Amino acid sequence: DWSQMLERMYVRWAERRGFRVAFVDRSPGEEAGLKSTSFQVEGAFAFGYLSSEKGTHRLVRQSPFNAKAARQTSFAAVDIVPVIDASSSSGSGSDGNALMDERDLEVTTMRSGGKGGQNVNKVESAVRVKHLPTGIAVKCSRERSQAMNKQRALTLLRSKLLALERERQERELREIRGEVVVADFGQQIRNYVLHPYKMVKDVRTACETSAVDRVLDGDLDAFIEAFLNYRAGLNQQQ
């Protein structure tokens, strides 16, 4: 249920700022919680703030699913991509539309899962779109209409492809400059320790607090601000 705990944390953070949250897709776990979740946050500078959260998040606690309450370590990957509107990215050779050829797309439909109206589990309204050259796939089951779900899925896929292209360009630029990429000190960007002591610590910035419950309830501003300052320092060095 670590993915569900993170989902709640980000939703609570967005609500604190008055941002709008719209769920795109949620896949339940095999036993409990969520296997994956995708949602859109709308608000001023939402992408800039949340870019600090991209990476692997590590949870250490006593397992609620183990009779002996053994210590358990869980990992969850968080991906943050900007939503690129097709109408706002015209005229550029590197926009999402230029990167996405319809001939490279595999579109499949399926029945939406979970509770809902009359269409749920009866009509194939959920849409999954896969970009064959990169293997990136997105799924949308939020809307009742298959056409609307397809449009949302295409928008999300376009955003992911654009983010991928930007990462490639930045990688090439670093190679040309001959600079060493700053390491993130391991795979995880942040540790959430609930047992045997309580602490949340960001590996990149060393920002930490023992108020774990407050952090999991959406109090992320200190960590976000620390990362933005950390990234600004890296940019100045470059």
mmCIF file of all heavy atoms in Angstrom, residues 19 184 209:
data_model
loop_
_atom_site.group_PDB
_atom_site.id
_atom_site.type_symbol
_atom_site.label_atom_id
_atom_site.label_comp_id
_atom_site.label_asym_id
_atom_site.label_seq_id
_atom_site.Cartn_x
_atom_site.Cartn_y
_atom_site.Cartn_z
ATOM 1 N N PHE A 19 -4.903 23.455 -5.225
ATOM 2 C CA PHE A 19 -4.781 22.938 -6.581
ATOM 3 C C PHE A 19 -5.893 21.929 -6.858
ATOM 4 O O PHE A 19 -6.437 21.308 -5.941
ATOM 5 C CB PHE A 19 -3.431 22.246 -6.782
ATOM 6 C CG PHE A 19 -2.258 23.196 -6.791
ATOM 7 C CD1 PHE A 19 -0.958 22.714 -6.770
ATOM 8 C CD2 PHE A 19 -2.448 24.570 -6.822
ATOM 9 C CE1 PHE A 19 0.133 23.574 -6.782
ATOM 10 C CE2 PHE A 19 -1.366 25.447 -6.834
ATOM 11 C CZ PHE A 19 -0.079 24.944 -6.813
ATOM 12 N N ASP A 184 22.921 10.924 -7.385
ATOM 13 C CA ASP A 184 21.815 11.082 -6.438
ATOM 14 C C ASP A 184 21.987 10.206 -5.209
ATOM 15 O O ASP A 184 21.042 9.941 -4.487
ATOM 16 C CB ASP A 184 20.471 10.752 -7.110
ATOM 17 C CG ASP A 184 19.989 11.904 -7.975
ATOM 18 O OD1 ASP A 184 20.481 13.021 -7.790
ATOM 19 O OD2 ASP A 184 19.137 11.659 -8.832
ATOM 20 N N THR A 209 13.239 15.534 8.757
ATOM 21 C CA THR A 209 12.334 15.846 9.852
ATOM 22 C C THR A 209 11.889 14.548 10.513
ATOM 23 O O THR A 209 11.854 13.494 9.865
ATOM 24 C CB THR A 209 11.092 16.626 9.363
ATOM 25 O OG1 THR A 209 10.223 16.885 10.461
ATOM 26 C CG2 THR A 209 10.319 15.816 8.320
#
